[in-house]
mmCIF file of all heavy atoms in Angstrom:
data_model
loop_
_atom_site.group_PDB
_atom_site.id
_atom_site.type_symbol
_atom_site.label_atom_id
_atom_site.label_comp_id
_atom_site.label_asym_id
_atom_site.label_seq_id
_atom_site.Cartn_x
_atom_site.Cartn_y
_atom_site.Cartn_z
ATOM 1 N N TRP A 1 37.504 -3.882 -41.541
ATOM 2 C CA TRP A 1 36.169 -3.559 -41.780
ATOM 3 C C TRP A 1 35.643 -2.644 -40.678
ATOM 4 O O TRP A 1 34.970 -1.717 -41.032
ATOM 5 C CB TRP A 1 35.366 -4.896 -41.895
ATOM 6 C CG TRP A 1 33.923 -4.836 -41.898
ATOM 7 C CD1 TRP A 1 33.129 -4.447 -42.909
ATOM 8 C CD2 TRP A 1 33.013 -5.119 -40.800
ATOM 9 N NE1 TRP A 1 31.773 -4.554 -42.597
ATOM 10 C CE2 TRP A 1 31.684 -4.930 -41.308
ATOM 11 C CE3 TRP A 1 33.171 -5.492 -39.453
ATOM 12 C CZ2 TRP A 1 30.566 -5.191 -40.525
ATOM 13 C CZ3 TRP A 1 32.027 -5.729 -38.684
ATOM 14 C CH2 TRP A 1 30.710 -5.538 -39.173
ATOM 15 N N LYS A 2 35.947 -2.900 -39.463
ATOM 16 C CA LYS A 2 35.512 -2.129 -38.367
ATOM 17 C C LYS A 2 36.100 -0.842 -38.281
ATOM 18 O O LYS A 2 35.512 0.270 -38.056
ATOM 19 C CB LYS A 2 35.659 -2.876 -36.986
ATOM 20 C CG LYS A 2 34.813 -2.354 -35.900
ATOM 21 C CD LYS A 2 33.305 -2.698 -36.183
ATOM 22 C CE LYS A 2 32.387 -2.197 -35.075
ATOM 23 N NZ LYS A 2 30.983 -2.616 -35.251
ATOM 24 N N LEU A 3 37.499 -0.813 -38.498
ATOM 25 C CA LEU A 3 38.192 0.549 -38.485
ATOM 26 C C LEU A 3 37.584 1.429 -39.593
ATOM 27 O O LEU A 3 37.480 2.659 -39.442
ATOM 28 C CB LEU A 3 39.651 0.359 -38.665
ATOM 29 C CG LEU A 3 40.410 -0.265 -37.583
ATOM 30 C CD1 LEU A 3 41.772 -0.703 -37.911
ATOM 31 C CD2 LEU A 3 40.447 0.761 -36.403
ATOM 32 N N ALA A 4 37.341 0.892 -40.733
ATOM 33 C CA ALA A 4 36.829 1.671 -41.917
ATOM 34 C C ALA A 4 35.479 2.315 -41.645
ATOM 35 O O ALA A 4 35.083 3.296 -42.271
ATOM 36 C CB ALA A 4 36.733 0.764 -43.141
ATOM 37 N N GLN A 5 34.725 1.738 -40.624
ATOM 38 C CA GLN A 5 33.448 2.410 -40.238
ATOM 39 C C GLN A 5 33.571 3.591 -39.463
ATOM 40 O O GLN A 5 32.624 4.415 -39.275
ATOM 41 C CB GLN A 5 32.599 1.316 -39.550
ATOM 42 C CG GLN A 5 32.162 0.140 -40.373
ATOM 43 C CD GLN A 5 31.554 -0.910 -39.464
ATOM 44 O OE1 GLN A 5 31.068 -0.721 -38.381
ATOM 45 N NE2 GLN A 5 31.549 -2.198 -40.002
ATOM 46 N N SER A 6 34.714 3.890 -38.875
ATOM 47 C CA SER A 6 34.945 5.023 -38.045
ATOM 48 C C SER A 6 34.992 6.269 -38.802
ATOM 49 O O SER A 6 35.762 6.345 -39.798
ATOM 50 C CB SER A 6 36.197 4.831 -37.133
ATOM 51 O OG SER A 6 36.443 6.070 -36.467
ATOM 52 N N ASN A 7 34.278 7.318 -38.351
ATOM 53 C CA ASN A 7 34.292 8.581 -39.059
ATOM 54 C C ASN A 7 35.678 9.293 -38.799
ATOM 55 O O ASN A 7 35.982 10.263 -39.430
ATOM 56 C CB ASN A 7 33.228 9.432 -38.501
ATOM 57 C CG ASN A 7 31.851 9.044 -38.986
ATOM 58 O OD1 ASN A 7 31.673 8.603 -40.168
ATOM 59 N ND2 ASN A 7 30.875 9.159 -38.165
ATOM 60 N N ARG A 8 36.460 8.739 -37.809
ATOM 61 C CA ARG A 8 37.816 9.310 -37.470
ATOM 62 C C ARG A 8 38.837 8.885 -38.654
ATOM 63 O O ARG A 8 39.911 9.438 -38.617
ATOM 64 C CB ARG A 8 38.193 8.823 -36.087
ATOM 65 C CG ARG A 8 37.332 9.408 -35.042
ATOM 66 C CD ARG A 8 37.920 9.019 -33.710
ATOM 67 N NE ARG A 8 39.232 9.637 -33.482
ATOM 68 C CZ ARG A 8 40.086 9.271 -32.576
ATOM 69 N NH1 ARG A 8 39.761 8.377 -31.675
ATOM 70 N NH2 ARG A 8 41.293 9.913 -32.469
ATOM 71 N N VAL A 9 38.494 7.847 -39.232
ATOM 72 C CA VAL A 9 39.535 7.218 -40.267
ATOM 73 C C VAL A 9 39.567 7.810 -41.647
ATOM 74 O O VAL A 9 38.415 7.736 -42.302
ATOM 75 C CB VAL A 9 39.451 5.664 -40.278
ATOM 76 C CG1 VAL A 9 40.409 5.115 -41.332
ATOM 77 C CG2 VAL A 9 39.658 5.029 -38.927
ATOM 78 N N LYS A 10 40.542 8.533 -42.058
ATOM 79 C CA LYS A 10 40.561 9.029 -43.347
ATOM 80 C C LYS A 10 41.101 8.001 -44.295
ATOM 81 O O LYS A 10 40.591 7.766 -45.420
ATOM 82 C CB LYS A 10 41.488 10.335 -43.375
ATOM 83 C CG LYS A 10 41.555 10.994 -44.733
ATOM 84 C CD LYS A 10 42.400 12.219 -44.751
ATOM 85 C CE LYS A 10 42.568 12.841 -45.980
ATOM 86 N NZ LYS A 10 43.419 14.059 -45.975
ATOM 87 N N ARG A 11 42.338 7.433 -44.030
ATOM 88 C CA ARG A 11 42.987 6.530 -44.825
ATOM 89 C C ARG A 11 43.402 5.320 -44.080
ATOM 90 O O ARG A 11 43.832 5.445 -42.928
ATOM 91 C CB ARG A 11 44.243 7.164 -45.522
ATOM 92 C CG ARG A 11 44.784 6.429 -46.726
ATOM 93 C CD ARG A 11 45.769 7.315 -47.459
ATOM 94 N NE ARG A 11 46.321 6.654 -48.628
ATOM 95 C CZ ARG A 11 47.280 7.066 -49.446
ATOM 96 N NH1 ARG A 11 47.850 8.239 -49.206
ATOM 97 N NH2 ARG A 11 47.633 6.440 -50.510
ATOM 98 N N LEU A 12 43.272 4.147 -44.715
ATOM 99 C CA LEU A 12 43.587 2.870 -44.051
ATOM 100 C C LEU A 12 44.469 2.005 -44.967
ATOM 101 O O LEU A 12 44.054 1.648 -46.048
ATOM 102 C CB LEU A 12 42.341 2.152 -43.657
ATOM 103 C CG LEU A 12 42.537 0.751 -42.926
ATOM 104 C CD1 LEU A 12 43.342 0.799 -41.690
ATOM 105 C CD2 LEU A 12 41.169 0.172 -42.652
ATOM 106 N N TRP A 13 45.682 1.715 -44.530
ATOM 107 C CA TRP A 13 46.608 0.806 -45.206
ATOM 108 C C TRP A 13 46.630 -0.509 -44.414
ATOM 109 O O TRP A 13 46.589 -0.535 -43.180
ATOM 110 C CB TRP A 13 47.991 1.283 -45.362
ATOM 111 C CG TRP A 13 48.183 2.598 -45.989
ATOM 112 C CD1 TRP A 13 48.220 2.901 -47.305
ATOM 113 C CD2 TRP A 13 48.427 3.800 -45.324
ATOM 114 N NE1 TRP A 13 48.445 4.182 -47.584
ATOM 115 C CE2 TRP A 13 48.670 4.857 -46.410
ATOM 116 C CE3 TRP A 13 48.669 4.321 -44.090
ATOM 117 C CZ2 TRP A 13 48.938 6.173 -46.120
ATOM 118 C CZ3 TRP A 13 48.849 5.646 -43.730
ATOM 119 C CH2 TRP A 13 49.042 6.554 -44.806
ATOM 120 N N VAL A 14 46.726 -1.650 -45.200
ATOM 121 C CA VAL A 14 46.820 -2.953 -44.592
ATOM 122 C C VAL A 14 47.988 -3.679 -45.190
ATOM 123 O O VAL A 14 47.994 -3.911 -46.464
ATOM 124 C CB VAL A 14 45.457 -3.755 -44.701
ATOM 125 C CG1 VAL A 14 45.615 -5.074 -43.765
ATOM 126 C CG2 VAL A 14 44.316 -2.893 -44.139
ATOM 127 N N ALA A 15 48.910 -4.188 -44.318
ATOM 128 C CA ALA A 15 50.099 -4.842 -44.858
ATOM 129 C C ALA A 15 50.147 -6.277 -44.308
ATOM 130 O O ALA A 15 50.270 -6.425 -43.114
ATOM 131 C CB ALA A 15 51.330 -4.136 -44.425
ATOM 132 N N PRO A 16 49.985 -7.257 -45.175
ATOM 133 C CA PRO A 16 49.830 -7.227 -46.638
ATOM 134 C C PRO A 16 48.405 -7.264 -47.081
ATOM 135 O O PRO A 16 48.063 -7.038 -48.237
ATOM 136 C CB PRO A 16 50.525 -8.510 -47.095
ATOM 137 C CG PRO A 16 50.181 -9.483 -45.952
ATOM 138 C CD PRO A 16 50.335 -8.718 -44.763
ATOM 139 N N GLY A 17 47.446 -7.467 -46.113
ATOM 140 C CA GLY A 17 46.002 -7.531 -46.524
ATOM 141 C C GLY A 17 45.661 -8.854 -47.273
ATOM 142 O O GLY A 17 46.478 -9.806 -47.255
ATOM 143 N N ASN A 18 44.489 -8.910 -47.812
ATOM 144 C CA ASN A 18 44.051 -10.010 -48.622
ATOM 145 C C ASN A 18 43.013 -9.630 -49.579
ATOM 146 O O ASN A 18 42.654 -8.428 -49.752
ATOM 147 C CB ASN A 18 43.561 -11.246 -47.716
ATOM 148 C CG ASN A 18 42.336 -10.785 -46.865
ATOM 149 O OD1 ASN A 18 41.466 -10.137 -47.315
ATOM 150 N ND2 ASN A 18 42.396 -11.248 -45.629
ATOM 151 N N GLY A 19 42.523 -10.581 -50.319
ATOM 152 C CA GLY A 19 41.534 -10.263 -51.435
ATOM 153 C C GLY A 19 40.243 -9.672 -50.970
ATOM 154 O O GLY A 19 39.648 -8.903 -51.762
ATOM 155 N N GLY A 20 39.863 -9.956 -49.697
ATOM 156 C CA GLY A 20 38.608 -9.305 -49.259
ATOM 157 C C GLY A 20 38.817 -7.897 -48.698
ATOM 158 O O GLY A 20 38.018 -6.992 -48.902
ATOM 159 N N ILE A 21 39.977 -7.743 -47.929
ATOM 160 C CA ILE A 21 40.290 -6.423 -47.426
ATOM 161 C C ILE A 21 40.484 -5.407 -48.575
ATOM 162 O O ILE A 21 40.009 -4.256 -48.379
ATOM 163 C CB ILE A 21 41.646 -6.491 -46.619
ATOM 164 C CG1 ILE A 21 41.433 -7.365 -45.428
ATOM 165 C CG2 ILE A 21 42.140 -5.155 -46.239
ATOM 166 C CD1 ILE A 21 42.633 -7.683 -44.635
ATOM 167 N N ALA A 22 40.927 -5.882 -49.689
ATOM 168 C CA ALA A 22 41.140 -4.857 -50.840
ATOM 169 C C ALA A 22 39.855 -4.331 -51.356
ATOM 170 O O ALA A 22 39.841 -3.307 -52.061
ATOM 171 C CB ALA A 22 41.825 -5.672 -51.929
ATOM 172 N N GLY A 23 38.707 -4.939 -51.013
ATOM 173 C CA GLY A 23 37.371 -4.442 -51.420
ATOM 174 C C GLY A 23 36.696 -3.489 -50.404
ATOM 175 O O GLY A 23 35.570 -3.016 -50.704
ATOM 176 N N GLU A 24 37.312 -3.321 -49.261
ATOM 177 C CA GLU A 24 36.631 -2.422 -48.267
ATOM 178 C C GLU A 24 36.857 -0.947 -48.561
ATOM 179 O O GLU A 24 37.749 -0.534 -49.190
ATOM 180 C CB GLU A 24 37.204 -2.780 -46.778
ATOM 181 C CG GLU A 24 36.941 -4.162 -46.383
ATOM 182 C CD GLU A 24 35.463 -4.476 -46.148
ATOM 183 O OE1 GLU A 24 34.644 -3.554 -46.008
ATOM 184 O OE2 GLU A 24 35.081 -5.663 -46.143
ATOM 185 N N VAL A 25 35.969 -0.090 -48.031
ATOM 186 C CA VAL A 25 35.961 1.310 -48.324
ATOM 187 C C VAL A 25 35.722 1.997 -46.907
ATOM 188 O O VAL A 25 34.869 1.614 -46.106
ATOM 189 C CB VAL A 25 34.859 1.749 -49.231
ATOM 190 C CG1 VAL A 25 34.928 3.350 -49.483
ATOM 191 C CG2 VAL A 25 35.077 1.064 -50.616
ATOM 192 N N THR A 26 36.456 3.089 -46.632
ATOM 193 C CA THR A 26 36.285 3.864 -45.444
ATOM 194 C C THR A 26 34.952 4.608 -45.439
ATOM 195 O O THR A 26 34.298 4.783 -46.471
ATOM 196 C CB THR A 26 37.375 4.811 -45.234
ATOM 197 O OG1 THR A 26 37.297 5.905 -46.211
ATOM 198 C CG2 THR A 26 38.739 4.183 -45.267
ATOM 199 N N ALA A 27 34.524 5.057 -44.215
ATOM 200 C CA ALA A 27 33.211 5.869 -44.155
ATOM 201 C C ALA A 27 33.242 7.094 -44.971
ATOM 202 O O ALA A 27 32.184 7.608 -45.492
ATOM 203 C CB ALA A 27 33.046 6.224 -42.673
ATOM 204 N N GLY A 28 34.458 7.615 -45.240
ATOM 205 C CA GLY A 28 34.569 8.814 -46.163
ATOM 206 C C GLY A 28 34.722 8.502 -47.632
ATOM 207 O O GLY A 28 34.896 9.386 -48.437
#
């Protein structure tokens, strides 16, 4: 959630992640 807020982040993969992470969106 915090990484996704950074304007520096274009793409974010999470391994394996979970049901909530799957709903996050980057600043872009």
Side-chain angles (χ1 to χ4, degrees):
W1 172 76
K2 199 67 179 183
L3 287 168
Q5 295 172 20
S6 172
N7 291 322
R8 298 185 61 194
V9 176
K10 180 181 178 182
R11 194 168 186 187
L12 177 59
W13 301 283
V14 188
N18 60 40
I21 293 172
E24 299 294 342
V25 179
T26 69

